Amino acid sequence: MTSRSAPRRRQTLRESHAASRNGVAMTPKVINAGPSLEKAELYGIDDQRPTFSKIMGLAGRIFIETIPQWLAVGAMLSLIFGGCCSNVFALEAIIKVEPASGTLLTFVQFLFVAVTGYISQFDYTRPPFFIKPNRVPIRRWLINIVLFFSINVLNNHAFSYDISVPVHIILRSGGSITTMIAGSLYGKRYSRIQVVAVLLLTVGVITAAWSDAQSKDASSGDSKEDVPKFSTGLAVLLIAQILSAIMGLYTEETYKKYGPHWKENLFYSHLLSLPLFLPFSRSLINQFMRLANSKPLPLPPLTGQMNLSTIPASMRQKIEGFYIPSQVAYLVLNVLTQYACIRGVNLLAAASSALTVTIVLNIRKLVSLLLSIWLFGNRLATGTLIGAIVVFSAGGLYSLDSKKKPTPPKPKTGGGKTG
């Protein structure tokens, strides 16, 4: 006990005796030791634990405090890689059997997203449609809806023109080419590294497409019919990429003006696109009937373990005659995984930068390409593989340079318009 603390202790004892004589109940004082501990750390008064114990304690605190962030990151990556990669598997399982079912795939995806999006936009106080008031005018969404509908229909319709899933992934990974061209026409400026990356992307896409066309020409006896068909598929994807670049710029301007209301965009872009499928109604019915007549999907082993001898004959016949068309099952899987993929991308976009989103999506496309080659035995020509490597490398170069902030425009000194 120091000389300073002795008088303070005696004063505290005198106060406690006086309070007890007066019949006043003593209440314990609450001492906040936090500031003292912070001062101790500030002035270098370390704890006496071994270094390993201190490191483990610090690591434990960091882990406990970052558990919510780790769970959020794990959920987003699971939705993106699990949903998007599984979606590619289900897509190729359908395309291998029915290449012309792209319009049906688009319609079912739009219908599912519109129904699930209605839940997030539901408002029971606004009859008769019970939809929340939109933050963005509907007329602003109309152009976005037409572009979005056209892009998705064209991308899925390209499979009808002998475009394989791996080549489809490679060609769609070159979207930065059309984005830069459209942005340049719109007045945007890009760095030299971005220009070089886009030139490499162009070379990679042309190499992959040309090599794949040559391999199809060599393997087919009637090249006069197949090569023009493949070229038509390339033209369809090119038009879709151009429209996608225009839609990206239009959506960017919409978000700048009204705010990033992506849930509203997701809901209206899918809901209001459904009437545009009316001209394709007969084709949709025919495509679905072809999928419904596909070979049955093997039921789970549970039915094989059941003792059907104890079940009445009529019920046994119904159970034995029940089957699920394999292509319909893949269609349902495609829709569910597509929804998971969309949710994961939107969650990632809301929680991170555009650079992070671009890099993660490029990695996801590369994983999807490798899974398509591995699971379905797709054989890519050497030139196509080289083109894929160039495309993904250039995409990474473009993304890494995009993190540099553009130099702010100089303040206006006159009445001219700055670029």
Side-chain angles (χ1 to χ4, degrees):
M1 184 183 299
T2 63
S3 59
R4 290 184 180 181
S5 62
R8 189 183 305 167
R9 181 177 177 81
R10 285 195 294 269
Q11 182 181 358
T12 305
L13 290 173
R14 284 196 298 269
E15 291 175 356
S16 63
H17 290 318
S20 61
R21 286 195 299 270
N22 295 332
V24 179
M26 289 291 293
T27 57
K29 291 184 177 180
V30 178
I31 300 175
N32 183 12
S36 300
L37 293 175
E38 291 177 359
K39 289 181 180 179
E41 294 178 358
L42 180 63
Y43 292 108
I45 305 175
D46 302 326
D47 58 15
Q48 302 301 319
R49 292 182 299 170
T51 304
F52 179 76
S53 299
K54 289 191 289 185
I55 293 175
M56 294 302 296
L58 179 62
R61 286 181 57 187
I62 294 175
F63 176 74
I64 292 173
E65 291 176 0
T66 57
I67 282 178
Q69 290 84 350
W70 282 111
L71 291 177
V73 171
M76 288 186 292
L77 294 181
S78 298
L79 288 172
I80 292 174
F81 284 92
C84 299
C85 295
S86 301
N87 179 258
V88 172
F89 167 78
L91 173 66
E92 188 151 7
I94 297 173
I95 296 302
K96 285 284 188 182
V97 178
E98 290 293 338
S101 57
T103 308
L104 177 64
L105 286 169
T106 309
F107 171 74
V108 177
Q109 290 171 358
F110 275 47
L111 179 63
F112 183 81
V113 174
V115 172
T116 53
Y118 181 74
I119 299 173
S120 64
Q121 299 294 319
F122 180 79
D123 186 356
Y124 70 93
T125 62
R126 292 176 56 84
F129 299 110
F130 302 100
I131 298 177
K132 293 179 181 179
N134 49 300
R135 307 290 183 88
V136 181
I138 295 296
R139 65 179 181 275
R140 182 75 186 185
W141 289 131
L142 290 179
I143 297 177
N144 200 81
I145 289 165
V146 174
L147 290 172
F148 185 71
F149 170 81
S150 304
I151 291 165
N152 281 272
V153 169
L154 289 173
N155 278 328
N156 285 331
H157 187 61
F159 292 113
S160 303
Y161 297 99
D162 205 19
I163 300 290
S164 64
V165 171
V167 173
H168 194 274
I169 294 173
I170 296 170
L171 297 182
R172 289 187 64 186
S173 299
S176 300
I177 302 170
T178 52
T179 300
M180 178 171 286
I181 295 173
S184 300
L185 295 176
Y186 192 72
K188 290 192 172 186
R189 296 180 180 179
Y190 299 91
S191 67
R192 291 181 180 178
I193 295 180
Q194 288 177 322
V195 173
V196 170
V198 167
L199 291 176
L200 289 174
L201 271 171
T202 306
V203 173
V205 168
I206 293 175
T207 302
W210 179 81
S211 177
D212 195 68
Q214 293 298 315
S215 64
K216 292 182 186 303
D217 189 9
S219 61
S220 176
D222 193 2
S223 60
K224 293 182 179 180
E225 294 182 2
D226 292 339
V227 173
K229 185 178 180 181
F230 181 77
S231 302
T232 304
L234 294 180
V236 168
L237 286 177
L238 176 61
I239 295 172
Q241 291 291 346
I242 294 172
L243 294 178
S244 180
I246 297 173
M247 188 186 74
L249 293 173
Y250 185 81
T251 305
E252 183 180 345
E253 288 298 316
T254 302
Y255 285 168
K256 285 181 180 178
K257 187 174 182 180
Y258 299 98
H261 304 292
W262 63 268
K263 287 185 178 180
E264 184 176 312
N265 182 15
L266 191 68
F267 172 66
Y268 283 109
S269 62
H270 286 80
L271 176 69
L272 299 182
S273 293
L274 293 178
L276 300 178
F277 285 97
L278 286 176
F280 305 98
S281 57
R282 184 175 297 275
S283 174
L284 292 174
I285 294 173
N286 293 334
Q287 291 175 15
F288 180 78
M289 293 307 298
R290 286 198 296 269
L291 296 183
N293 293 328
S294 60
K295 64 179 182 179
L297 187 73
L299 291 178
L302 180 63
T303 55
Q305 298 175 1
M306 295 173 57
N307 187 8
L308 300 180
S309 59
T310 59
I311 300 177
S314 59
M315 184 68 68
R316 190 188 317 131
Q317 290 178 355
K318 291 182 180 180
I319 294 176
E320 292 176 349
F322 178 77
Y323 72 95
I324 301 175
S326 58
Q327 297 304 307
V328 173
Y330 288 131
L331 179 64
V332 174
L333 179 62
N334 178 269
V335 171
L336 296 177
T337 53
Q338 177 74 8
Y339 179 73
C341 180
I342 292 174
R343 294 291 294 181
V345 171
N346 284 317
L347 286 173
L348 182 64
S352 59
S353 64
L355 169 68
T356 304
V357 175
T358 305
I359 292 175
V360 170
L361 292 183
N362 276 336
I363 296 173
R364 195 277 302 169
K365 289 176 182 178
L366 179 60
V367 172
S368 298
L369 176 65
L370 296 176
L371 285 177
S372 176
I373 296 172
W374 176 51
L375 293 176
F376 290 91
N378 289 308
R379 302 279 179 163
L380 295 183
T382 305
T384 307
L385 288 175
I386 294 174
I389 294 172
V390 173
V391 166
F392 288 113
S393 301
L397 180 63
Y398 184 93
S399 304
L400 291 175
D401 189 70
S402 299
K403 69 180 179 181
K404 298 179 181 178
K405 299 291 184 182
T407 55
K410 296 181 180 179
K412 297 180 181 180
T413 56
K417 184 178 179 182
T418 59

